[in-house]
Amino acid sequence: MDTLSSTDHPGPVTPPPAEDRQGGPHKEHAVILLHGLCGSQLEMGSIPKQLKKAGCTVIPLNIDNYSAALTNPRVSPNWEEWCAVVESRVARLKEEFRTVSLCGLSMGATLALAVAARSKELLSVVLLSPVLQYDGWSVPWYWKLLTVVYDLGFRNWSYKESEPYGIKNFEMRRRVASALEKDGVAAVGAASIPARHLRAALRMIDYVKQSLPLVRTDTLIIHSIDDETASPRNAEQILQYINAEVRKVVWLGDCYHIITVDNEREIVTNETVMFIRRSIEMHGHEFSRKHLAHASPLKDRRG
């Protein structure tokens, strides 16, 4: 995130993948995937595939005025509407599945935290490069002034992505730059983010910072120590203030912000799948009892 652009219309994007329901040992568990702000499910790398192999049902959620394919730069989105979409999907999935987890990247991780602070229905959350403040080494000095510019009424601008695009791997970065130029979206997200969407995201961040103590679900954080967008302080703040009994952090040393497609992507995928699997194993009996307690009683056929 480095320069301003007057781009008003996002480029063509890859159609979002459909829901993929799986069998296997965790067939009663669903995982909702939340990509970054104005991004796409391309950002999630191999995580969906490996979760499916583990037997989980994967829900690649796309949200109006959050996802690249559904973004109108002239609309002023409300972050609570983003949360409402996720909460509604969680509620519907809980009618079919015994457990539901969230896995989010970048602002998608922040969105997952916002939902976790408001919901008691989640088994676990996986936070990949969560953002509570844009304080990485590549963030320009004028970043904090942009909200002032926005609040003064100048809102028809976009924040343009540029080198290193959140990726340390040079070859991957080259391919991402080509995809952004051609299609306007790539594995790192959109080529630019409208000011209105950034402002909504910053308001969501304010809520999440105040609400961290309300997060009690199992939490995994994976963060790069060299994240150019959000410094390690973001992960440290989350760890310090959430009230989850089970919390884990994995630090990466050879990637930047988009850890799902960078040099240590295999570690990210493996840690994500293992954490969700362990949560299922640890809490499976507890959620089974809850499920039975709320199930309709069998009809008595005696007599």
Side-chain angles (χ1 to χ4, degrees), residues 36-57:
L37 181 64
C38 296
S40 76
Q41 292 295 331
L42 293 172
E43 301 170 16
M44 303 310 293
S46 62
I47 289 175
K49 180 179 179 180
Q50 294 306 316
L51 284 172
K52 293 170 191 175
K53 282 187 176 181
C56 297
T57 291

Side-chain angles (χ1 to χ4, degrees), residues 87-272:
E87 291 166 348
S88 175
R89 181 56 65 90
V90 170
R92 279 184 282 149
L93 289 171
K94 285 289 289 183
E95 295 177 357
E96 183 177 354
F97 297 88
R98 289 190 180 174
T99 53
V100 179
S101 292
L102 301 181
C103 175
L105 171 68
S106 189
M107 195 56 66
T110 311
L111 175 55
L113 274 173
V115 174
R118 295 151 58 110
S119 173
K120 297 180 181 179
E121 298 297 321
L122 298 172
L123 174 74
S124 60
V125 290
V126 177
L127 311 175
L128 309 175
S129 305
V131 180
L132 294 187
Q133 54 188 330
Y134 289 103
D135 60 349
W137 54 264
S138 77
V139 177
W141 62 268
Y142 56 80
W143 164 252
K144 292 184 178 180
L145 298 178
L146 297 184
T147 55
V148 177
V149 171
Y150 182 90
D151 291 340
L152 287 174
F154 300 95
R155 299 175 180 178
N156 293 321
W157 49 269
S158 295
Y159 198 73
K160 185 178 180 181
E161 296 287 354
S162 60
E163 293 278 355
Y165 302 113
I167 297 179
K168 190 172 186 178
N169 183 285
F170 180 78
E171 177 58 26
M172 175 62 75
R173 193 189 308 168
R174 183 188 65 79
R175 282 183 279 166
V176 162
S178 176
L180 287 174
E181 182 177 355
K182 179 183 178 182
D183 300 325
V185 67
V188 298
S192 61
I193 301 176
R196 291 175 173 83
H197 295 71
L198 278 173
R199 193 69 184 94
L202 291 174
R203 291 190 175 109
M204 181 169 68
I205 285 175
D206 289 340
Y207 168 80
V208 169
K209 286 180 178 179
Q210 298 172 9
S211 304
L212 287 175
L214 299 177
V215 177
R216 299 181 181 275
T217 190
D218 292 358
T219 303
L220 169 66
I221 306 171
I222 308 181
H223 208 99
S224 172
I225 60 174
D226 204 19
D227 191 317
E228 89 291 352
T229 298
S231 78
R233 286 191 293 271
N234 290 262
E236 292 168 351
Q237 184 176 354
I238 294 168
L239 279 174
Q240 180 178 355
Y241 291 108
I242 61 174
N243 276 313
E245 290 186 11
V246 178
R247 66 187 86 177
K248 178 181 179 180
V249 63
V250 176
W251 296 110
L252 305 175
D254 191 28
C255 54
Y256 291 160
H257 186 62
I258 310 298
I259 58 178
T260 46
V261 298
D262 211 345
N263 290 325
E264 295 171 288
R265 55 191 178 274
E266 291 183 0
I267 296 175
V268 174
T269 297
N270 291 338
E271 290 286 347
T272 296

